[in-house]
Amino acid sequence: MQEFSEELIGLRVYSPKAEYIGKVDEIVFDIDNKRIDSLIVNNVSPAFAEPKISVAIPYSWIRTVGDIIILDIFPTKILRDGTLEGL
């Protein structure tokens, strides 16, 4: 799992509509269940969030991982107070 998780850092993340969201900066692990819990994307594209917002993307939202990450679901807008619109 460690090798796989290290390969996720720096991968580009795209919405279900193939819109660029940002790059994976960190990984959050669920130690008890020995799995990845979420991916942290800092500086999310302004098309999706207010400036300088970091987002924890639940691993369950991921459709596929390869040279890029494509999500199954993602909000249309993320507000500074944590509100997710369009889910």
Side-chain angles (χ1 to χ4, degrees), residues 71-83:
L71 303 178
D72 249 342
I73 59 172
F74 196 74
T76 55
K77 196 70 172 176
I78 303 166
L79 305 179
R80 190 161 302 286
D81 68 1
T83 301

Side-chain angles (χ1 to χ4, degrees), residues 3-4 10-13 18-19 28 36 42 44 47 49 52 56 64 74 77 81 83 87:
E3 288 178 19
F4 173 72
L11 287 183
R12 293 175 181 262
V13 180
E19 301 162 307
V28 178
I36 296 172
N42 297 322
V44 173
K52 298 184 180 180
T64 187
F74 196 74
K77 196 70 172 176
D81 68 1
T83 301
L87 273 183

Side-chain angles (χ1 to χ4, degrees), residues 50-69:
E50 296 178 19
K52 298 184 180 180
I53 287 184
S54 296
V55 175
I57 298 172
Y59 203 76
S60 61
W61 289 8
I62 294 174
R63 177 184 307 159
T64 187
V65 176
D67 293 335
I68 61 171
I69 296 171

Side-chain angles (χ1 to χ4, degrees), residues 27-38:
I27 300 169
V28 178
F29 292 95
D30 176 349
I31 301 300
D32 294 336
N33 294 307
K34 299 179 182 173
R35 64 181 185 90
I36 296 172
D37 182 69
S38 57

